[in-house]
Amino acid sequence: MKNLINLAVKNLTRHTKRTLITGIAMAFGIAMLIWMDGMLRWADNESKRNLQRYEFGNFIISTKEFKTDRKNYPLNFMMDKETIRKVIEIAEGLGCSASPRTGFISLLSFNRGFGLPYVLMAMDPEKDSRVFSLKENILTGKYPDPEDTGVLISSVCSRELNAGIGDFITIETRTRYNTYQSIDIKVTGIFNAPDPVVNRNQVFITRALADSQLQTEGTASEIVVRSPSGENEPFLSRMRQGLASAGLEKDLVIETWQDLGSDFLAISQTKRGGSRIFMLLIFIIVAVGIINTMLMAVFERVREIGMLRALGMSDREVIWSFILEAAGIGFIGSFAGVLLGIGLDAYSVYVGLDFSSLFEDMDIGYRTGSVFYNEWNPDMMLLGFIFGILCTVLVSILPARKAVKMEITDSIRYI
Amino acid sequence: MATVVCRNIVKNYRIGADIVRALKDVNVSFEQGEFSAIVGPSGSGKSTLLNIIGCLDKPDQGEVKINNIIIKDQTKKALADIRRDHIGFVFQTFNLIPVLTAFENVNFVLSLKNSGSAAENRGITMKMLEEVGLKGLEHRKPLELSGGQQQRVAIARALVKEPALVLADEPTANLDSRTGESIMELMMKLNLNKRTTFIFSTHDKMVMEYARRTIDLHDGMITNDQRKKP
């Protein structure tokens, strides 16, 4: 085998340019695979983190009726003050943070502009900041105080309404008792959350303001709970037990962030399938490059192959010599690809790529900001390296077998 | 003991609808240490006979024995082993591996055989290269050598594994007459020193003069088999 390896290595130097071009094509494919995987992985995990940090916490407790119609934010299935108090007490007793919220479907306008649909979310700023991370994303102005009478809007909303800090915007909505209500509220803060769903759909007021303007009277449609560890268990089970022992399990239900974000998780699963298609494309690039290079090698060495077989090299050894040669190209390409992939990964991990101009007004399905980062993916680097070599070995079998198909006597006379 | 025995060899080729009878009932043996030339015009069957003796091709009928091994019904792998262990080849166009040095070209055959340590094989290779007059040129690649030097490497490669038989298909055809003569003298010297059987095909009169036995082939049949008196 040592002599075959030696021969294969020497053969790689026959056409240095050809070897390099094939290797570069491979390297580029593998680097892209590593880079794309790192980015998709980051986007996937960041989306999951953001689902918890900006939309659902770990789990949400609401009435059964509210749950069935949650997307329409019904106001007739609210939890009363006493229930809210008990639920928060149970959650805090478990070490969790809990924040009551009520969403109102609204139209926002400014300066006689058309009303834009947003969900007006009433929350308790102190409690909410322990469950959600919105407070960390204030661009200008301030995060509301518990008695604040202003509205916290997103940068997207600010741009759409053309309204800034200090401007009074008009919110048209319905009160808890389904009466029409139109209120003018001063913009006191603008946030830019890395979750586009929140950025594009939600504005925030305090529960105190909702109590006075929208007649919520201390009620809330849901309580969002965040566990101290970030994991659902064992807090979810204990919360269920707590609700049961408080006699609330008949009226209330718990939905986890996975239940609530099932649409995203399904899309995420599909996107993972997409990365497999990407792998297949890389395989095709590698396969075409290697088959082409190896077929050229076989055709230009027909006489030499005949001579080697005449000298006593078995067909198996001839095939192996070509496979080893292809594996050599695979090694060069894969190694360079991994190095390039590490470089691209490093840039995206530390600097990131700003897709603002591309994705600002587009929903690409991820709950991330428009600056995309990468996660280190050593497993994909290893897989890409092995995959690259395996691909070359697999696809070189065909041309290698061709090398020994011809009769030795015909090979030796081949011109 | 005969190194090569060919009995009733028949070989036909199909070219389109026609069948060409390349060898017609050829019977010939070669004793150990013989230095023989198979001569005849183009298309007489010289190369076909050489290919069959070299286990590169199989006869349609008849039997070939190399060192008492019956070639008929051997598997491809077994034939490769026979070629590797018992037969050396010298080709008209040298057929060296261009990416290997002279040393590596010769040593490669030994490594295929998988016998002896790497150090032993290196020693044997160097000795062989010295014998063919290439000492000092062992690190040159084929393209850095003249035609005659390349053929010397090819001869060293054929002989380094100490085969029972060396087959040379028109070994001087690509060389000028002076270089051709020096190659023939080298082969003759090695034949005498090592008692290796040499069979070469040729239609070069100079080569025929070196041969101690000349076999004439015409239209696939032996028409004359003549040994020179010692």
Side-chain angles (χ1 to χ4, degrees):
Chain A
M1 185 54 95
K2 199 179 158 192
N3 58 336
L4 294 182
I5 293 171
N6 183 40
L7 183 64
V9 170
K10 298 261 178 177
N11 278 333
L12 282 175
T13 62
R14 259 181 219 245
H15 298 285
T16 323
K17 278 184 194 164
R18 193 198 294 166
T19 304
L20 278 178
I21 289 169
T22 314
I24 287 169
M26 263 192 79
F28 181 74
I30 288 169
M32 291 305 287
L33 178 70
I34 292 168
W35 182 59
M36 288 294 289
D37 175 77
M39 188 174 283
L40 291 176
R41 208 177 279 202
W42 172 84
D44 204 46
N45 290 334
E46 178 72 359
S47 295
K48 287 172 186 167
R49 283 190 290 269
N50 286 343
L51 278 174
Q52 292 182 52
R53 288 193 304 203
Y54 295 95
E55 291 184 53
F56 307 126
N58 281 95
F59 41 87
I60 292 181
I61 298 158
S62 65
T63 60
K64 284 178 180 167
E65 295 82 1
F66 179 84
K67 181 200 161 190
T68 54
D69 199 20
R70 139 184 297 282
K71 281 180 183 165
N72 293 319
Y73 293 93
L75 295 167
N76 46 347
F77 307 116
M78 310 284 270
M79 288 179 280
D80 60 33
K81 262 185 178 174
E82 185 54 20
T83 306
I84 293 168
R85 189 191 62 75
K86 281 183 187 170
V87 172
I88 291 176
E89 203 174 275
I90 296 166
E92 288 179 348
L94 296 172
C96 298
S97 303
S99 173
R101 279 182 161 197
T102 306
F104 301 85
I105 292 177
S106 313
L107 285 175
L108 272 61
S109 58
F110 175 62
N111 267 352
R112 297 183 184 182
F114 290 109
L116 300 172
Y118 272 85
V119 174
L120 177 67
M121 196 62 84
M123 49 83 170
D124 182 328
E126 276 181 4
K127 287 190 166 59
D128 214 68
S129 65
R130 289 198 287 271
V131 175
F132 294 106
S133 305
L134 206 61
K135 198 176 178 178
E136 297 155 23
N137 303 104
I138 301 298
L139 270 185
T140 51
K142 65 179 180 68
Y143 185 75
D145 305 320
E147 299 304 321
D148 211 312
T149 53
V151 62
L152 176 66
I153 64 171
S154 67
S155 55
V156 175
C157 178
S158 166
R159 200 183 67 240
E160 283 183 336
L161 293 176
N162 200 21
I165 298 290
D167 289 332
F168 278 83
I169 59 169
T170 305
I171 299 174
E172 295 163 70
T173 186
R174 288 182 185 276
T175 67
R176 185 186 160 201
Y177 298 109
N178 209 24
T179 56
Y180 181 78
Q181 173 70 303
S182 177
I183 43 177
D184 283 340
I185 311 183
K186 189 178 177 182
V187 176
T188 51
I190 298 173
F191 68 88
N192 183 24
D195 184 330
V197 171
V198 175
N199 261 4
R200 290 190 188 124
N201 297 304
Q202 296 180 2
V203 294
F204 297 86
I205 58 168
T206 61
R207 287 183 69 221
L209 187 63
D211 283 348
S212 65
Q213 298 286 329
L214 302 169
Q215 298 167 311
T216 45
E217 297 159 0
T219 61
S221 51
E222 59 187 19
I223 299 169
V224 188
V225 179
R226 184 82 188 266
S227 75
S229 66
E231 299 296 325
N232 289 0
E233 292 298 347
F235 308 99
L236 179 63
S237 313
R238 287 181 190 161
M239 192 74 212
R240 285 190 211 282
Q241 286 167 9
L243 291 180
S245 41
L248 295 170
E249 87 276 16
K250 281 181 193 163
D251 303 321
L252 303 182
V253 285
I254 304 180
E255 289 173 279
T256 63
W257 71 271
Q258 288 96 334
D259 299 330
L260 294 157
S262 57
D263 288 359
F264 167 77
L265 293 174
I267 292 168
S268 160
Q269 196 69 30
T270 313
K271 282 185 176 163
R272 241 171 269 155
S275 67
R276 279 187 209 117
I277 292 172
F278 194 74
M279 260 181 117
L280 183 73
L281 285 174
I282 304 276
F283 175 79
I284 292 168
I285 293 172
V286 171
V288 170
I290 294 291
I291 287 179
N292 182 45
T293 303
M294 295 317 292
L295 275 177
M296 281 167 83
V298 167
F299 282 128
E300 73 189 10
R301 280 185 237 158
V302 171
R303 283 174 75 151
E304 199 176 304
I305 293 163
M307 178 273 296
L308 288 170
R309 292 165 76 198
L311 290 182
M313 209 165 163
S314 67
D315 290 358
R316 202 185 162 87
E317 285 171 320
V318 172
I319 289 173
W320 265 110
S321 76
F322 278 93
I323 289 175
L324 287 170
E325 190 176 329
I329 298 174
F331 179 83
I332 294 167
S334 301
F335 187 70
V338 170
L339 286 184
L340 189 61
I342 289 172
L344 289 171
D345 253 4
Y347 179 82
S348 298
V349 165
Y350 297 115
V351 182
L353 289 177
D354 192 348
F355 291 111
S356 301
S357 53
L358 270 175
F359 298 157
E360 204 161 48
D361 297 314
M362 195 165 75
D363 184 6
I364 55 162
Y366 284 116
R367 304 294 216 275
T368 64
S370 50
V371 178
F372 268 59
Y373 293 92
N374 267 43
E375 260 178 35
W376 286 113
N377 48 351
D379 53 337
M380 182 49 83
M381 290 170 192
L382 184 68
L383 186 70
F385 183 73
I386 296 169
F387 173 76
I389 295 176
L390 272 183
C391 275
T392 51
V393 166
L394 274 178
V395 299
S396 68
I397 292 172
L398 192 76
R401 285 176 71 92
K402 200 169 179 62
V404 295
K405 258 191 173 174
M406 205 184 263
E407 292 295 330
I408 301 174
T409 48
D410 295 333
S411 295
I412 292 170
R413 280 199 299 268
Y414 190 85
I415 299 167
Chain B
M1 183 187 78
T3 308
V4 181
V5 177
C6 298
R7 278 202 203 111
N8 310 111
I9 300 297
V10 173
K11 181 72 185 177
N12 301 322
Y13 290 112
R14 182 179 285 276
I15 299 173
D18 301 326
I19 291 175
V20 177
R21 305 192 66 180
L23 294 174
K24 300 167 188 166
D25 200 28
V26 170
N27 288 285
V28 65
S29 305
F30 298 91
E31 298 299 319
Q32 193 196 349
E34 272 194 321
F35 197 69
S36 315
I38 300 172
V39 299
S42 293
S44 58
K46 303 188 296 288
S47 295
T48 304
L49 181 58
L50 226 57
N51 287 341
I52 286 171
I53 294 170
C55 303
L56 301 177
D57 206 351
K58 281 185 175 179
D60 295 330
Q61 284 172 38
E63 186 182 83
V64 179
K65 277 189 197 173
I66 309 287
N67 259 4
N68 240 4
I69 304 166
I70 300 168
I71 300 308
K72 201 177 168 184
D73 302 328
Q74 295 283 354
T75 62
K76 276 178 109 177
K77 172 78 178 82
L79 287 175
D81 290 346
I82 292 167
R83 287 194 298 271
R84 186 192 62 200
D85 297 337
H86 300 284
I87 306 169
F89 289 91
V90 178
F91 301 98
Q92 181 182 333
T93 48
F94 325 133
N95 284 3
L96 300 174
I97 303 170
V99 286
L100 301 184
T101 62
F103 174 86
E104 288 167 334
N105 262 288
V106 178
N107 196 54
F108 184 75
V109 180
L110 285 180
S111 62
L112 274 183
K113 226 177 158 182
N114 225 1
S115 63
S117 67
E120 279 170 357
N121 286 347
R122 273 199 296 275
I124 294 167
T125 303
M126 283 309 292
K127 199 175 160 217
M128 195 65 234
L129 282 167
E130 203 178 326
E131 274 187 68
V132 297
L134 289 175
K135 194 180 177 191
L137 301 177
E138 61 271 13
H139 296 302
R140 290 202 187 173
K141 287 189 176 166
L143 281 175
E144 298 162 347
L145 296 169
S146 68
Q149 287 168 335
Q150 286 188 52
Q151 196 61 303
R152 281 168 190 267
V153 177
I155 291 167
R157 180 178 67 183
L159 283 163
V160 74
K161 59 188 178 184
E162 298 187 340
L165 171 68
V166 170
L167 299 170
D169 191 5
E170 311 227 16
T172 58
N174 276 13
L175 303 172
D176 61 70
S177 55
R178 185 181 285 184
T179 315
E181 273 183 52
S182 72
I183 289 293
M184 286 314 296
E185 273 163 20
L186 172 68
M187 290 207 288
M188 219 170 138
K189 187 183 93 185
L190 293 168
N191 163 257
L192 290 171
N193 290 349
K194 295 180 183 293
R195 298 276 298 143
T196 308
T197 308
F198 272 77
I199 306 171
F200 40 89
S201 71
T202 188
H203 38 54
D204 183 339
K205 281 202 173 131
M206 179 272 292
V207 175
M208 290 176 214
E209 280 167 20
Y210 279 93
R212 287 194 295 276
R213 181 184 175 193
T214 309
I215 297 159
D216 285 305
L217 259 182
H218 279 272
D219 294 333
M221 288 186 296
I222 294 175
T223 52
N224 186 27
D225 186 349
Q226 202 175 355
R227 282 185 169 86
K228 275 185 191 167
K229 284 174 189 167

